[in-house]
Amino acid sequence: MNADLVRTGADGQRKAGISADALKVIAMVTMAIDHTGAALFPYAVTLRVIGRIAFPIYMWLLVMGFVHTSSRKKYMLRMAALAVVSEFPFDLALTGEWTFQWQNIYFTLLLSLLLMVVLEKAMDVGGRSRRIAMVGAAVIVSMLLAEWLNFDYSCTGPVLAAVFYLYYRTGRPDLFAGFFLFCFSRFFNPVLNGEQLTDPYIWLSCFLNALLECCGAMAIPFIRNYNGVRKWKRGKAFFYLFYPVHLLILYGIRTLFF
């Protein structure tokens, strides 16, 4: 699967699969479940496990949007605007106050778009070793930025963007293998933060977080069956604005009842 992701038969008719609209609904619902757990029921692990499905789907749709959009500049500006608009609701819902210690997922997605711009150029460079060096450097720099700027999913977010984009371009590595690379990139956190690497509890925390992210592999079958169809073109604003709106609702519930 790469450039022929929109599945068609010999007669030109679309085969069965999961549309972009259906993927968005799955991601939206599982994200709401995840944030409900994070904001209201922090010890309800089941909610967080279900919520792991959301990010891989959103990242896959971001990659598809990047390669098919008519204007990448507008796409990035839209992500930047949503990042600014969503920051206050994100902070309130998940921490109860406005803080710069943790930035919402739209910042991660915006950085991932910028990374893909660089990866696209790197993939078109002649010489295999040179391509690998440019791709590696771009991913490492984006990981550092995501970690130091406290973006949601920290250094692991750009890794998943790179995995999905390179899979789209080359068909390698397999989606499951690439996904687990994203999960265990969590071990870069203490290295990038300059933490005390001899502390076993740091590595235990990384391992447990990586295992939790592995639950997101449940999203891969949905992604594999993506058929490229998008019908709800007028519903774009709803899917974008759902993020800050549902966070404000969760903050309201948290304030009134918890």
Side-chain angles (χ1 to χ4, degrees), residues 170 210 248:
T170 68
L248 283 176

Side-chain angles (χ1 to χ4, degrees), residues 27-238:
M28 187 174 65
V29 171
T30 52
M31 176 183 67
I33 291 171
D34 181 47
H35 287 162
T36 299
L40 307 180
F41 308 104
Y43 299 107
V45 178
T46 302
L47 299 181
R48 307 310 308 278
V49 167
I50 294 171
R52 297 308 92 201
I53 296 173
F55 184 61
I57 293 178
Y58 275 123
M59 187 58 78
W60 178 257
L61 291 172
L62 186 81
V63 173
M64 294 298 99
F66 174 79
V67 298
H68 293 122
T69 184
S70 58
S71 174
R72 289 178 180 175
K73 180 179 179 180
K74 289 182 180 179
Y75 197 23
M76 292 181 189
L77 287 174
R78 186 159 58 243
M79 287 296 162
L82 288 164
V84 173
V85 168
S86 300
E87 186 58 23
F88 193 50
F90 177 79
D91 290 341
L92 289 179
L94 300 184
T95 69
E97 60 182 4
W98 196 358
T99 174
F100 291 102
Q101 299 303 310
W102 190 13
Q103 322 311 330
N104 72 79
I105 198 65
Y106 277 120
F107 284 105
T108 307
L109 298 180
L110 175 60
L111 178 62
S112 297
L113 288 174
L114 295 171
L115 171 61
M116 283 187 277
V117 170
V118 179
L119 292 179
E120 182 178 60
K121 295 183 182 299
M123 291 296 290
D124 293 332
V125 168
R128 184 170 181 270
S129 60
R130 189 179 177 191
R131 283 198 301 272
I132 292 174
M134 290 182 67
V135 167
V139 173
I140 290 171
V141 169
S142 62
M143 290 174 70
L144 286 168
L145 287 173
E147 187 70 33
W148 292 343
L149 295 174
N150 299 312
F151 288 175
D152 199 10
Y153 277 86
S154 59
C155 67
T156 67
V159 173
L160 188 60
V163 164
F164 280 176
Y165 178 74
L166 295 174
Y167 174 77
Y168 173 81
R169 286 289 300 263
T170 68
R172 299 187 302 271
D174 177 77
L175 275 176
F176 275 106
F179 180 78
F180 289 120
L181 176 63
F182 148 73
C183 294
F184 287 94
S185 64
R186 179 70 63 177
F187 283 91
F188 283 101
N189 279 99
V191 176
L192 297 178
N193 282 325
E195 296 182 33
Q196 179 55 258
L197 301 183
T198 57
D199 185 350
Y201 292 103
I202 290 177
W203 299 110
L204 177 61
S205 176
C206 288
F207 180 70
L208 293 176
N209 281 320
L211 287 182
L212 179 61
E213 293 302 336
C214 285
C215 297
M218 293 183 289
I220 301 302
F222 296 117
I223 292 171
R224 280 186 180 277
N225 285 286
Y226 172 68
N227 63 13
V229 177
R230 183 166 65 92
K231 297 180 180 179
W232 302 343
K233 295 183 180 181
R234 295 183 178 180
K236 184 184 297 185
F238 171 77

